[in-house]
PDB file of all heavy atoms in Angstrom:
ATOM      1  N   GLN A   1     112.040 101.605  83.742  1.00  0.00           N
ATOM      2  CA  GLN A   1     113.104 102.431  84.310  1.00  0.00           C
ATOM      3  C   GLN A   1     113.516 103.529  83.331  1.00  0.00           C
ATOM      4  O   GLN A   1     113.668 104.699  83.721  1.00  0.00           O
ATOM      5  CB  GLN A   1     114.313 101.572  84.668  1.00  0.00           C
ATOM      6  CG  GLN A   1     115.457 102.391  85.272  1.00  0.00           C
ATOM      7  CD  GLN A   1     116.701 101.559  85.544  1.00  0.00           C
ATOM      8  OE1 GLN A   1     116.976 100.593  84.847  1.00  0.00           O
ATOM      9  NE2 GLN A   1     117.448 101.935  86.573  1.00  0.00           N
ATOM     10  N   TYR A   2     113.710 103.178  82.073  1.00  0.00           N
ATOM     11  CA  TYR A   2     114.089 104.184  81.080  1.00  0.00           C
ATOM     12  C   TYR A   2     113.016 105.254  80.944  1.00  0.00           C
ATOM     13  O   TYR A   2     113.313 106.452  80.863  1.00  0.00           O
ATOM     14  CB  TYR A   2     114.340 103.514  79.730  1.00  0.00           C
ATOM     15  CG  TYR A   2     115.731 102.970  79.552  1.00  0.00           C
ATOM     16  CD1 TYR A   2     116.221 101.955  80.373  1.00  0.00           C
ATOM     17  CD2 TYR A   2     116.571 103.445  78.558  1.00  0.00           C
ATOM     18  CE1 TYR A   2     117.500 101.444  80.211  1.00  0.00           C
ATOM     19  CE2 TYR A   2     117.852 102.943  78.374  1.00  0.00           C
ATOM     20  CZ  TYR A   2     118.309 101.938  79.212  1.00  0.00           C
ATOM     21  OH  TYR A   2     119.582 101.432  79.055  1.00  0.00           O
ATOM     22  N   LYS A   3     111.754 104.839  80.900  1.00  0.00           N
ATOM     23  CA  LYS A   3     110.678 105.794  80.682  1.00  0.00           C
ATOM     24  C   LYS A   3     110.440 106.707  81.893  1.00  0.00           C
ATOM     25  O   LYS A   3     109.700 107.681  81.785  1.00  0.00           O
ATOM     26  CB  LYS A   3     109.385 105.055  80.332  1.00  0.00           C
ATOM     27  CG  LYS A   3     109.310 104.517  78.903  1.00  0.00           C
ATOM     28  CD  LYS A   3     109.193 105.637  77.872  1.00  0.00           C
ATOM     29  CE  LYS A   3     108.602 105.143  76.559  1.00  0.00           C
ATOM     30  NZ  LYS A   3     109.307 104.045  75.936  1.00  0.00           N
ATOM     31  N   ARG A   4     111.038 106.413  83.033  1.00  0.00           N
ATOM     32  CA  ARG A   4     110.930 107.338  84.169  1.00  0.00           C
ATOM     33  C   ARG A   4     111.996 108.429  84.116  1.00  0.00           C
ATOM     34  O   ARG A   4     111.923 109.389  84.906  1.00  0.00           O
ATOM     35  CB  ARG A   4     111.043 106.581  85.501  1.00  0.00           C
ATOM     36  CG  ARG A   4     109.858 105.689  85.820  1.00  0.00           C
ATOM     37  CD  ARG A   4     109.826 105.323  87.304  1.00  0.00           C
ATOM     38  NE  ARG A   4     111.083 104.762  87.764  1.00  0.00           N
ATOM     39  CZ  ARG A   4     111.399 103.476  87.702  1.00  0.00           C
ATOM     40  NH1 ARG A   4     110.551 102.609  87.174  1.00  0.00           N
ATOM     41  NH2 ARG A   4     112.560 103.038  88.157  1.00  0.00           N
ATOM     42  N   ASP A   5     112.963 108.317  83.228  1.00  0.00           N
ATOM     43  CA  ASP A   5     113.992 109.339  83.131  1.00  0.00           C
ATOM     44  C   ASP A   5     113.362 110.648  82.650  1.00  0.00           C
ATOM     45  O   ASP A   5     112.690 110.681  81.607  1.00  0.00           O
ATOM     46  CB  ASP A   5     115.078 108.902  82.151  1.00  0.00           C
ATOM     47  CG  ASP A   5     116.163 109.945  82.016  1.00  0.00           C
ATOM     48  OD1 ASP A   5     117.136 109.878  82.791  1.00  0.00           O
ATOM     49  OD2 ASP A   5     116.024 110.841  81.154  1.00  0.00           O
ATOM     50  N   PRO A   6     113.548 111.764  83.361  1.00  0.00           N
ATOM     51  CA  PRO A   6     112.854 113.011  82.997  1.00  0.00           C
ATOM     52  C   PRO A   6     113.276 113.566  81.649  1.00  0.00           C
ATOM     53  O   PRO A   6     112.448 114.161  80.944  1.00  0.00           O
ATOM     54  CB  PRO A   6     113.213 113.964  84.150  1.00  0.00           C
ATOM     55  CG  PRO A   6     114.457 113.398  84.756  1.00  0.00           C
ATOM     56  CD  PRO A   6     114.346 111.908  84.599  1.00  0.00           C
ATOM     57  N   ASP A   7     114.537 113.395  81.256  1.00  0.00           N
ATOM     58  CA  ASP A   7     114.983 113.927  79.971  1.00  0.00           C
ATOM     59  C   ASP A   7     114.410 113.130  78.812  1.00  0.00           C
ATOM     60  O   ASP A   7     114.009 113.700  77.788  1.00  0.00           O
ATOM     61  CB  ASP A   7     116.506 113.941  79.910  1.00  0.00           C
ATOM     62  CG  ASP A   7     117.120 114.891  80.934  1.00  0.00           C
ATOM     63  OD1 ASP A   7     116.469 115.903  81.255  1.00  0.00           O
ATOM     64  OD2 ASP A   7     118.230 114.607  81.410  1.00  0.00           O
ATOM     65  N   LEU A   8     114.366 111.814  78.943  1.00  0.00           N
ATOM     66  CA  LEU A   8     113.734 110.994  77.914  1.00  0.00           C
ATOM     67  C   LEU A   8     112.243 111.290  77.844  1.00  0.00           C
ATOM     68  O   LEU A   8     111.668 111.404  76.752  1.00  0.00           O
ATOM     69  CB  LEU A   8     113.980 109.509  78.199  1.00  0.00           C
ATOM     70  CG  LEU A   8     113.350 108.514  77.227  1.00  0.00           C
ATOM     71  CD1 LEU A   8     113.727 108.812  75.788  1.00  0.00           C
ATOM     72  CD2 LEU A   8     113.721 107.087  77.607  1.00  0.00           C
ATOM     73  N   GLN A   9     111.589 111.435  78.991  1.00  0.00           N
ATOM     74  CA  GLN A   9     110.172 111.800  78.992  1.00  0.00           C
ATOM     75  C   GLN A   9     109.936 113.103  78.245  1.00  0.00           C
ATOM     76  O   GLN A   9     108.978 113.235  77.478  1.00  0.00           O
ATOM     77  CB  GLN A   9     109.652 111.927  80.427  1.00  0.00           C
ATOM     78  CG  GLN A   9     109.377 110.622  81.127  1.00  0.00           C
ATOM     79  CD  GLN A   9     108.557 110.813  82.393  1.00  0.00           C
ATOM     80  OE1 GLN A   9     107.963 111.862  82.636  1.00  0.00           O
ATOM     81  NE2 GLN A   9     108.527 109.779  83.222  1.00  0.00           N
ATOM     82  N   GLU A  10     110.799 114.076  78.476  1.00  0.00           N
ATOM     83  CA  GLU A  10     110.612 115.381  77.834  1.00  0.00           C
ATOM     84  C   GLU A  10     110.795 115.298  76.327  1.00  0.00           C
ATOM     85  O   GLU A  10     110.055 115.935  75.563  1.00  0.00           O
ATOM     86  CB  GLU A  10     111.576 116.396  78.440  1.00  0.00           C
ATOM     87  CG  GLU A  10     111.376 117.818  77.970  1.00  0.00           C
ATOM     88  CD  GLU A  10     110.069 118.447  78.417  1.00  0.00           C
ATOM     89  OE1 GLU A  10     109.294 117.798  79.141  1.00  0.00           O
ATOM     90  OE2 GLU A  10     109.806 119.602  78.025  1.00  0.00           O
ATOM     91  N   ALA A  11     111.758 114.522  75.852  1.00  0.00           N
ATOM     92  CA  ALA A  11     111.933 114.353  74.410  1.00  0.00           C
ATOM     93  C   ALA A  11     110.700 113.709  73.792  1.00  0.00           C
ATOM     94  O   ALA A  11     110.227 114.125  72.722  1.00  0.00           O
ATOM     95  CB  ALA A  11     113.181 113.519  74.127  1.00  0.00           C
ATOM     96  N   HIS A  12     110.170 112.675  74.448  1.00  0.00           N
ATOM     97  CA  HIS A  12     108.953 112.034  73.947  1.00  0.00           C
ATOM     98  C   HIS A  12     107.764 112.990  73.985  1.00  0.00           C
ATOM     99  O   HIS A  12     106.906 112.961  73.092  1.00  0.00           O
ATOM    100  CB  HIS A  12     108.631 110.796  74.784  1.00  0.00           C
ATOM    101  CG  HIS A  12     109.333 109.553  74.340  1.00  0.00           C
ATOM    102  ND1 HIS A  12     109.148 109.001  73.089  1.00  0.00           N
ATOM    103  CD2 HIS A  12     110.198 108.728  74.990  1.00  0.00           C
ATOM    104  CE1 HIS A  12     109.869 107.894  72.983  1.00  0.00           C
ATOM    105  NE2 HIS A  12     110.522 107.708  74.118  1.00  0.00           N
ATOM    106  N   ARG A  13     107.679 113.804  75.002  1.00  0.00           N
ATOM    107  CA  ARG A  13     106.532 114.710  75.156  1.00  0.00           C
ATOM    108  C   ARG A  13     106.510 115.786  74.070  1.00  0.00           C
ATOM    109  O   ARG A  13     105.447 116.211  73.618  1.00  0.00           O
ATOM    110  CB  ARG A  13     106.571 115.358  76.543  1.00  0.00           C
ATOM    111  CG  ARG A  13     105.297 116.082  76.940  1.00  0.00           C
ATOM    112  CD  ARG A  13     105.414 116.646  78.338  1.00  0.00           C
ATOM    113  NE  ARG A  13     106.388 117.717  78.379  1.00  0.00           N
ATOM    114  CZ  ARG A  13     106.116 118.991  78.081  1.00  0.00           C
ATOM    115  NH1 ARG A  13     104.899 119.327  77.676  1.00  0.00           N
ATOM    116  NH2 ARG A  13     107.053 119.916  78.154  1.00  0.00           N
ATOM    117  N   GLN A  14     107.690 116.184  73.618  1.00  0.00           N
ATOM    118  CA  GLN A  14     107.778 117.267  72.646  1.00  0.00           C
ATOM    119  C   GLN A  14     107.695 116.806  71.201  1.00  0.00           C
ATOM    120  O   GLN A  14     107.260 117.570  70.335  1.00  0.00           O
ATOM    121  CB  GLN A  14     109.095 118.026  72.842  1.00  0.00           C
ATOM    122  CG  GLN A  14     109.234 118.737  74.170  1.00  0.00           C
ATOM    123  CD  GLN A  14     108.369 119.984  74.275  1.00  0.00           C
ATOM    124  OE1 GLN A  14     107.696 120.378  73.319  1.00  0.00           O
ATOM    125  NE2 GLN A  14     108.380 120.598  75.438  1.00  0.00           N
ATOM    126  N   HIS A  15     108.114 115.565  70.902  1.00  0.00           N
ATOM    127  CA  HIS A  15     108.256 115.150  69.500  1.00  0.00           C
ATOM    128  C   HIS A  15     107.742 113.730  69.286  1.00  0.00           C
ATOM    129  O   HIS A  15     107.926 112.862  70.153  1.00  0.00           O
ATOM    130  CB  HIS A  15     109.734 115.165  69.084  1.00  0.00           C
ATOM    131  CG  HIS A  15     110.444 116.439  69.339  1.00  0.00           C
ATOM    132  ND1 HIS A  15     110.078 117.643  68.763  1.00  0.00           N
ATOM    133  CD2 HIS A  15     111.534 116.717  70.125  1.00  0.00           C
ATOM    134  CE1 HIS A  15     110.895 118.597  69.158  1.00  0.00           C
ATOM    135  NE2 HIS A  15     111.789 118.065  69.988  1.00  0.00           N
ATOM    136  N   PRO A  16     107.187 113.447  68.104  1.00  0.00           N
ATOM    137  CA  PRO A  16     106.933 112.045  67.753  1.00  0.00           C
ATOM    138  C   PRO A  16     108.240 111.320  67.486  1.00  0.00           C
ATOM    139  O   PRO A  16     109.189 111.899  66.950  1.00  0.00           O
ATOM    140  CB  PRO A  16     106.076 112.149  66.485  1.00  0.00           C
ATOM    141  CG  PRO A  16     106.428 113.480  65.895  1.00  0.00           C
ATOM    142  CD  PRO A  16     106.746 114.382  67.044  1.00  0.00           C
ATOM    143  N   PHE A  17     108.292 110.044  67.881  1.00  0.00           N
ATOM    144  CA  PHE A  17     109.467 109.197  67.646  1.00  0.00           C
ATOM    145  C   PHE A  17     109.146 108.182  66.553  1.00  0.00           C
ATOM    146  O   PHE A  17     108.025 107.664  66.470  1.00  0.00           O
ATOM    147  CB  PHE A  17     109.847 108.437  68.917  1.00  0.00           C
ATOM    148  CG  PHE A  17     110.805 109.162  69.828  1.00  0.00           C
ATOM    149  CD1 PHE A  17     110.549 110.461  70.258  1.00  0.00           C
ATOM    150  CD2 PHE A  17     111.960 108.535  70.276  1.00  0.00           C
ATOM    151  CE1 PHE A  17     111.422 111.117  71.107  1.00  0.00           C
ATOM    152  CE2 PHE A  17     112.851 109.187  71.124  1.00  0.00           C
ATOM    153  CZ  PHE A  17     112.582 110.489  71.543  1.00  0.00           C
ATOM    154  N   ILE A  18     110.150 107.882  65.740  1.00  0.00           N
ATOM    155  CA  ILE A  18     110.080 106.829  64.730  1.00  0.00           C
ATOM    156  C   ILE A  18     111.198 105.861  65.074  1.00  0.00           C
ATOM    157  O   ILE A  18     112.378 106.217  65.017  1.00  0.00           O
ATOM    158  CB  ILE A  18     110.267 107.416  63.314  1.00  0.00           C
ATOM    159  CG1 ILE A  18     109.152 108.424  63.007  1.00  0.00           C
ATOM    160  CG2 ILE A  18     110.299 106.305  62.277  1.00  0.00           C
ATOM    161  CD1 ILE A  18     109.427 109.281  61.784  1.00  0.00           C
ATOM    162  N   THR A  19     110.858 104.629  65.461  1.00  0.00           N
ATOM    163  CA  THR A  19     111.846 103.764  66.092  1.00  0.00           C
ATOM    164  C   THR A  19     111.989 102.410  65.402  1.00  0.00           C
ATOM    165  O   THR A  19     111.049 101.891  64.798  1.00  0.00           O
ATOM    166  CB  THR A  19     111.501 103.512  67.576  1.00  0.00           C
ATOM    167  OG1 THR A  19     110.345 102.661  67.668  1.00  0.00           O
ATOM    168  CG2 THR A  19     111.215 104.814  68.311  1.00  0.00           C
ATOM    169  N   VAL A  20     113.194 101.856  65.508  1.00  0.00           N
ATOM    170  CA  VAL A  20     113.461 100.448  65.217  1.00  0.00           C
ATOM    171  C   VAL A  20     114.334  99.920  66.346  1.00  0.00           C
ATOM    172  O   VAL A  20     115.017 100.686  67.022  1.00  0.00           O
ATOM    173  CB  VAL A  20     114.178 100.241  63.864  1.00  0.00           C
ATOM    174  CG1 VAL A  20     113.243 100.546  62.704  1.00  0.00           C
ATOM    175  CG2 VAL A  20     115.454 101.088  63.767  1.00  0.00           C
ATOM    176  N   TRP A  21     114.288  98.615  66.554  1.00  0.00           N
ATOM    177  CA  TRP A  21     115.175  98.039  67.570  1.00  0.00           C
ATOM    178  C   TRP A  21     116.507  97.643  66.947  1.00  0.00           C
ATOM    179  O   TRP A  21     116.633  97.446  65.737  1.00  0.00           O
ATOM    180  CB  TRP A  21     114.546  96.857  68.271  1.00  0.00           C
ATOM    181  CG  TRP A  21     114.084  95.724  67.388  1.00  0.00           C
ATOM    182  CD1 TRP A  21     114.788  95.074  66.409  1.00  0.00           C
ATOM    183  CD2 TRP A  21     112.796  95.095  67.428  1.00  0.00           C
ATOM    184  NE1 TRP A  21     114.031  94.078  65.839  1.00  0.00           N
ATOM    185  CE2 TRP A  21     112.802  94.066  66.443  1.00  0.00           C
ATOM    186  CE3 TRP A  21     111.656  95.276  68.191  1.00  0.00           C
ATOM    187  CZ2 TRP A  21     111.696  93.251  66.211  1.00  0.00           C
ATOM    188  CZ3 TRP A  21     110.565  94.464  67.962  1.00  0.00           C
ATOM    189  CH2 TRP A  21     110.588  93.467  66.988  1.00  0.00           C
ATOM    190  N   ASP A  22     117.525  97.520  67.797  1.00  0.00           N
ATOM    191  CA  ASP A  22     118.796  96.917  67.410  1.00  0.00           C
ATOM    192  C   ASP A  22     118.979  95.676  68.284  1.00  0.00           C
ATOM    193  O   ASP A  22     117.995  95.000  68.605  1.00  0.00           O
ATOM    194  CB  ASP A  22     119.932  97.929  67.543  1.00  0.00           C
ATOM    195  CG  ASP A  22     121.214  97.467  66.842  1.00  0.00           C
ATOM    196  OD1 ASP A  22     121.176  96.503  66.067  1.00  0.00           O
ATOM    197  OD2 ASP A  22     122.267  98.072  67.094  1.00  0.00           O
ATOM    198  N   ASP A  23     120.176  95.392  68.742  1.00  0.00           N
ATOM    199  CA  ASP A  23     120.387  94.154  69.482  1.00  0.00           C
ATOM    200  C   ASP A  23     120.096  94.278  70.975  1.00  0.00           C
ATOM    201  O   ASP A  23     119.560  93.355  71.589  1.00  0.00           O
ATOM    202  CB  ASP A  23     121.799  93.609  69.264  1.00  0.00           C
ATOM    203  CG  ASP A  23     122.902  94.625  69.531  1.00  0.00           C
ATOM    204  OD1 ASP A  23     122.619  95.837  69.530  1.00  0.00           O
ATOM    205  OD2 ASP A  23     124.059  94.204  69.706  1.00  0.00           O
ATOM    206  N   HIS A  24     120.402  95.418  71.597  1.00  0.00           N
ATOM    207  CA  HIS A  24     120.333  95.471  73.056  1.00  0.00           C
ATOM    208  C   HIS A  24     118.904  95.544  73.587  1.00  0.00           C
ATOM    209  O   HIS A  24     118.695  95.370  74.799  1.00  0.00           O
ATOM    210  CB  HIS A  24     121.178  96.620  73.588  1.00  0.00           C
ATOM    211  CG  HIS A  24     122.643  96.375  73.403  1.00  0.00           C
ATOM    212  ND1 HIS A  24     123.326  95.399  74.107  1.00  0.00           N
ATOM    213  CD2 HIS A  24     123.549  96.936  72.564  1.00  0.00           C
ATOM    214  CE1 HIS A  24     124.589  95.393  73.730  1.00  0.00           C
ATOM    215  NE2 HIS A  24     124.750  96.309  72.793  1.00  0.00           N
ATOM    216  N   GLU A  25     117.932  95.760  72.725  1.00  0.00           N
ATOM    217  CA  GLU A  25     116.546  95.581  73.162  1.00  0.00           C
ATOM    218  C   GLU A  25     116.239  94.118  73.443  1.00  0.00           C
ATOM    219  O   GLU A  25     115.232  93.792  74.069  1.00  0.00           O
ATOM    220  CB  GLU A  25     115.567  96.117  72.108  1.00  0.00           C
ATOM    221  CG  GLU A  25     115.476  97.621  72.013  1.00  0.00           C
ATOM    222  CD  GLU A  25     116.502  98.228  71.067  1.00  0.00           C
ATOM    223  OE1 GLU A  25     117.420  97.512  70.610  1.00  0.00           O
ATOM    224  OE2 GLU A  25     116.376  99.434  70.772  1.00  0.00           O
ATOM    225  N   SER A  26     117.124  93.222  73.001  1.00  0.00           N
ATOM    226  CA  SER A  26     117.001  91.796  73.315  1.00  0.00           C
ATOM    227  C   SER A  26     118.289  91.296  73.964  1.00  0.00           C
ATOM    228  O   SER A  26     118.335  91.052  75.171  1.00  0.00           O
ATOM    229  CB  SER A  26     116.649  90.987  72.065  1.00  0.00           C
ATOM    230  OG  SER A  26     117.567  91.245  71.001  1.00  0.00           O
ATOM    231  N   ALA A  27     119.383  91.166  73.190  1.00  0.00           N
ATOM    232  CA  ALA A  27     120.670  90.717  73.735  1.00  0.00           C
ATOM    233  C   ALA A  27     121.773  91.096  72.767  1.00  0.00           C
ATOM    234  O   ALA A  27     121.552  91.225  71.560  1.00  0.00           O
ATOM    235  CB  ALA A  27     120.666  89.207  73.975  1.00  0.00           C
ATOM    236  N   ASN A  28     122.981  91.236  73.271  1.00  0.00           N
ATOM    237  CA  ASN A  28     124.089  91.752  72.477  1.00  0.00           C
ATOM    238  C   ASN A  28     124.362  90.893  71.242  1.00  0.00           C
ATOM    239  O   ASN A  28     124.384  89.659  71.302  1.00  0.00           O
ATOM    240  CB  ASN A  28     125.364  91.800  73.338  1.00  0.00           C
ATOM    241  CG  ASN A  28     126.536  92.391  72.588  1.00  0.00           C
ATOM    242  OD1 ASN A  28     126.448  93.505  72.086  1.00  0.00           O
ATOM    243  ND2 ASN A  28     127.632  91.649  72.498  1.00  0.00           N
TER     244      ASN A  28
END
């Protein structure tokens, strides 16, 4: 669902991302 968002898609399309997870990728 997140990856279908057009604005998030555009940010990913234009730039490399460097990511880490926090809590909400699993649970609060």
Side-chain angles (χ1 to χ4, degrees):
Q1 180 184 31
Y2 275 63
K3 284 291 202 304
R4 290 198 307 273
D5 180 90
D7 295 330
L8 179 53
Q9 283 194 14
E10 186 67 2
H12 274 299
R13 192 178 68 85
Q14 296 287 356
H15 307 299
F17 271 53
I18 299 167
T19 71
V20 290
W21 56 51
D22 194 13
D23 52 341
H24 291 291
E25 286 88 350
S26 53
N28 183 56

